[in-house]
Amino acid sequence: MSVIPLDLASDAVVLPAPQLPSQASLHQTLRGRRSTRSFRPDPVSLATLSALLWAACGINREQTGGRTAPSARGWKEVDIYAVLPEGAYRYEPEAHRLALVSAQDLRGATGVQDFVGAAPLNLVYVAHLDRMVEAALEDRPFLAGTDTGFIAQNVYLCCAAMGLGTVVRAMIDRRGLAKALQLPANQRITLAQTVGWEAPGP
């Protein structure tokens, strides 16, 4: 089953309303949070992708546009790119949809470890440094990295609640991936995170 329909007439994919498992307690979720680097190739469903992205930094307060992850001074400078076999998409939290960036399979470009190219989903976190008004230039990478950490932890907890495996990664050819994602010079890749169903051990 494909995550994204291949016969889209539009470059935008409206995601279904996010549905997270209600039976998982905070205690169970924290006990289940861990990293894994072994993934089955089975695709992640569109419903699961919707829940993951909403948990990462979706809108949880419609009146104010507040997000599930905090952001320094409300800059909301970190964008999420979902890199799938069907292509690379930028998540748009306000509309809860995906915008096509590349129709190529760029999973292998999201990191240097062998498993990233075969895992069904890689999330790439990209900071818009020019959104960070009134912050000193030398402080912006640190603050963007901190905000990325909040988002990545939300994904960890969502994966634990949904029975998915995940690992956050810093080993990235940032220049090559930025070119593949067509990022302008004022945007920086902070981290990547692989998500999928954990493969059984030997």
Side-chain angles (χ1 to χ4, degrees), residues 102-137:
S102 172
Q104 294 181 310
D105 182 355
L106 302 178
R107 289 176 297 165
T110 67
V112 300
Q113 296 100 323
D114 291 340
F115 62 83
V116 304
L121 170 64
N122 289 285
L123 303 176
V124 179
Y125 303 122
V126 176
H128 291 244
L129 300 182
D130 58 355
R131 293 181 188 169
M132 307 174 78
V133 294
E134 301 178 4
L137 292 178

Side-chain angles (χ1 to χ4, degrees), residues 146-163:
T146 301
D147 288 346
T148 300
F150 293 130
I151 294 170
Q153 182 69 336
N154 280 3
V155 172
Y156 262 110
L157 295 177
C158 184
C159 286
M162 301 179 75

Side-chain angles (χ1 to χ4, degrees), residues 15-158:
L15 295 167
Q19 299 291 329
L20 274 71
S22 58
Q23 71 275 14
S25 69
L26 179 60
H27 177 75
Q28 291 170 325
T29 300
L30 289 171
R31 284 185 62 87
R33 192 226 65 81
R34 66 190 186 91
S35 294
T36 183
R37 294 168 179 82
S38 181
F39 299 90
R40 305 200 311 260
D42 310 47
V44 174
S45 72
L46 197 61
T48 298
L49 182 60
S50 171
L52 281 168
L53 292 173
W54 181 84
C57 71
I59 304 295
N60 67 354
R61 286 152 288 165
E62 297 293 339
Q63 297 85 349
T64 63
R67 304 278 185 89
T68 57
S71 170
R73 300 194 187 182
W75 286 318
K76 302 173 183 174
E77 79 282 4
V78 179
D79 282 350
I80 301 178
Y81 286 72
V83 183
L84 300 149
E86 294 83 358
Y89 296 80
R90 185 181 62 256
Y91 177 51
E92 299 179 345
E94 294 80 5
H96 194 56
R97 69 182 182 186
L98 299 173
L100 181 66
V101 173
S102 172
Q104 294 181 310
D105 182 355
L106 302 178
R107 289 176 297 165
T110 67
V112 300
Q113 296 100 323
D114 291 340
F115 62 83
V116 304
L121 170 64
N122 289 285
L123 303 176
V124 179
Y125 303 122
V126 176
H128 291 244
L129 300 182
D130 58 355
R131 293 181 188 169
M132 307 174 78
V133 294
E134 301 178 4
L137 292 178
E138 63 270 20
D139 292 338
R140 295 183 186 190
F142 168 76
L143 293 170
T146 301
D147 288 346
T148 300
F150 293 130
I151 294 170
Q153 182 69 336
N154 280 3
V155 172
Y156 262 110
L157 295 177
C158 184

